[in-house]
Amino acid sequence: QVQVVESGGGVVQPGGSLRLSCAASGFTLRNYNMHWVRQAPGKGLEWVAFVEQAGSEKYYADSVKGRFTISRDNSKNTVYLQMNSLRGEDTAVYYCARDYVYSFDYWGRGTLVTVSS
Amino acid sequence: QTVVTQEPSFSVSPGGTVTLTCGLSSGSVSSSYYPSWFQQTPGQAPRTLIYRTNSRSSGVPDRFSGSILGNKAALTITGAQADDESDYYCMMYMGSGIWVFGTGTKVTVL
């Protein structure tokens, strides 16, 4: 069955870095575009980043542009989100989602990132 | 930057019908924005209900339907059930590789 599983969350100090991973199974990752979406505690959903199938096209929300980098390794069935210069407002549950017709069809359960000193 | 707006909350009686809407701070919603709808209960990951305006995701009951109503996207729940009590988010594809979620609507069934 199709699954995406996020990992790599944790507590990090402001200004620090963290790399999230999204492990895909049950489907051929190289055939799908992928996204990261986040949700701050008690807040709504926010789209974060997109990477197309081969990894050459990438797009970001303005709130993370220049600080976050999305990438993928199709040979390892994994999508990544490198987060640098982290701020308190980046504290959130980060979800990985598979793209389907400009939307998402499968979501992971999320991984919590807490930015705090 | 364009804001995607939703009603903050709605209440519906069991068995009743409710229509949530999703608009733009400037301009009208059309199918070219590929509006989607998601359901989320507290502590859970979102679940995709509707994509491409009115296509139901796999396993979604047919009491959920999507449409364009006037200048907004709409999600209608017909015959609401207790477990439909959730937060509902819309999302638009703005073009140029940018997606924007709506502000979310909390639906209470009572």
Side-chain angles (χ1 to χ4, degrees):
Chain A
Q1 70 281 22
V2 172
Q3 272 194 308
V4 291
V5 178
E6 305 90 342
S7 62
V11 180
V12 60
Q13 292 188 341
S17 298
L18 209 57
R19 188 178 82 159
L20 306 183
S21 298
C22 168
S25 61
F27 66 100
T28 304
L29 181 64
R30 66 176 179 269
N31 292 339
Y32 289 88
N33 303 326
M34 298 292 291
H35 298 260
W36 286 95
V37 174
R38 70 183 180 182
Q39 186 170 36
K43 302 297 185 183
L45 298 171
E46 179 185 16
W47 173 78
V48 173
F50 162 94
V51 61
E52 61 84 42
Q53 296 167 26
S56 56
E57 278 189 54
K58 303 174 185 182
Y59 300 102
Y60 302 91
D62 285 346
S63 58
V64 306
K65 200 174 296 182
R67 300 186 299 122
F68 289 13
T69 302
I70 190 172
S71 63
R72 61 194 296 158
D73 186 337
N74 289 334
S75 67
K76 294 183 178 179
N77 294 316
T78 303
V79 179
Y80 303 98
L81 186 68
Q82 177 68 42
M83 305 185 296
N84 298 333
S85 303
L86 283 161
R87 307 165 180 167
E89 55 264 37
D90 297 318
T91 294
V93 174
Y94 285 74
Y95 297 101
C96 176
R98 192 175 82 168
D99 182 272
Y100 185 69
V101 193
Y102 298 99
S103 183
F104 318 124
D105 56 358
Y106 287 92
W107 296 72
R109 293 189 174 187
T111 187
L112 176 62
V113 172
T114 302
V115 183
S116 174
S117 54
Chain B
Q1 184 171 348
T2 301
V3 175
V4 178
T5 59
Q6 297 182 244
E7 300 89 356
S9 63
F10 255 118
S11 184
V12 60
S13 300
T17 296
V18 62
T19 297
L20 315 182
T21 67
C22 177
L24 297 172
S25 56
S26 60
S28 298
V29 175
S30 69
S31 57
S32 63
Y33 286 92
Y34 293 89
S36 302
W37 290 91
F38 308 94
Q39 178 190 48
Q40 187 181 36
T41 53
Q44 300 296 314
R47 169 197 184 195
T48 303
L49 297 175
I50 301 288
Y51 64 96
R52 196 174 50 194
T53 304
N54 55 15
S55 296
R56 262 186 302 276
S57 196
S58 177
V60 173
D62 60 7
R63 65 177 184 274
F64 293 95
S65 62
S67 63
I68 300 290
L69 285 182
N71 62 348
K72 296 183 179 182
L75 173 72
T76 299
I77 308 173
T78 304
Q81 300 182 1
D83 60 3
D84 295 335
E85 187 161 294
S86 300
D87 294 324
Y88 292 83
Y89 295 92
C90 65
M91 184 182 73
M92 303 284 177
Y93 177 59
M94 310 306 288
S96 302
I98 300 298
W99 285 260
V100 179
F101 280 97
T103 47
T105 298
K106 183 177 183 63
V107 172
T108 303
V109 180
L110 51 72

